[in-house]
Amino acid sequence: MRVGFIGLGSQGGPMARRIIEAGHPTTLWARRPASLEPFAGTGADFAETPAELAARSDLVCLCVVGDDDVRQVLSGPEGVLAGLAPGSIVAVHATVHPDTCRELAETTAAQGSTLIDAPVSGGGMGAAAGTLLVMVGGPAEAVERARPVFDSYADPVVHLGDVGAGQTAKLLNNLLFTANLATSRATLALGEQLGIGPDRLGEVISHGTANSFALGRVVSGGGTLDRLAAHAGTLLRKDVGLIAELAEKAGTDPGVVLRTADATLAMMNHPR
């Protein structure tokens, strides 16, 4: 399968490299030429526009930041959809609103192609190791066609249902992660008040039944959320806000997990 990849950041870059190393003919495009420099000599081709990239691809992977970025890359006279051939697939790896993916899936289908949502979790290290989690929503046939490419950087790849299901699962994951940060931070603070430092208590809990990824991030931050707030607070606020909106639209009460996630955002000085 010919693959086009857009979004060569700290996570997308290692993903693209894994695709190239797996032997898939790969075309890259980036807004900044500097983003392409690490791929010189890898065998990847470079395109001048997203449309040109799409014309050379059976599968176009988008690993950009948010809803507006996805729309901009897909739309317009030089966007992906302008060059996409019928029967092609677009995979949205960004974490965006499920409705954005549903809307863009309709636009893509009108051109005879398929858009699937495939947000990822695991960061650049997971991508480099080939152990990302990919949460996919979309038609089963398109998901299975894209799976060999996803398998180059992910394990597992989980198909969750129709378009938008992948995004919903990713937002729920990020909601729980955000909530776990508050409980981890509060537990370490209580331990300190009772005479056990956060590093030693973190060492104990990380080997016990209460271990979590969130706990590890808090411990590595010295028992505070300051470092995490600086580089992820805005994104976590966005994701918690999106899942809260989805729950309200569905007429359901998220309960304690949303209240606890809001407590984390307040600790980070990034309240909704």
Side-chain angles (χ1 to χ4, degrees), residues 5-8 28-36 47-50 63-74:
F5 201 98
I6 298 175
L8 302 171
L28 308 175
W29 177 84
R31 290 189 178 97
R32 298 181 300 107
S35 299
L36 298 172
E48 294 294 327
T49 67
C63 197
V64 292
V65 176
D67 297 64
D68 290 343
D69 301 286
V70 172
R71 293 181 189 278
Q72 289 170 11
V73 169
L74 285 177

Side-chain angles (χ1 to χ4, degrees), residues 26-137:
T26 305
T27 303
L28 308 175
W29 177 84
R31 290 189 178 97
R32 298 181 300 107
S35 299
L36 298 172
E37 291 175 2
F39 294 90
T42 63
D45 292 327
F46 301 156
E48 294 294 327
T49 67
E52 180 185 326
L53 175 144
R56 301 182 192 175
S57 305
D58 304 305
L59 168 66
V60 176
C61 298
L62 305 181
C63 197
V64 292
V65 176
D67 297 64
D68 290 343
D69 301 286
V70 172
R71 293 181 189 278
Q72 289 170 11
V73 169
L74 285 177
S75 304
E78 295 186 337
V80 166
L81 294 181
L84 200 64
S88 301
I89 302 169
V90 175
V92 179
H93 289 307
T95 301
V96 299
H97 198 297
D99 288 347
T100 298
C101 289
R102 295 184 185 108
E103 173 195 330
L104 293 172
E106 292 182 3
T107 303
T108 306
Q111 297 187 195
S113 296
T114 305
L115 183 143
I116 61 179
D117 62 309
V120 298
S121 181
M125 292 181 63
T131 58
L132 284 180
L133 164 64
V134 180
M135 297 152 272
V136 194

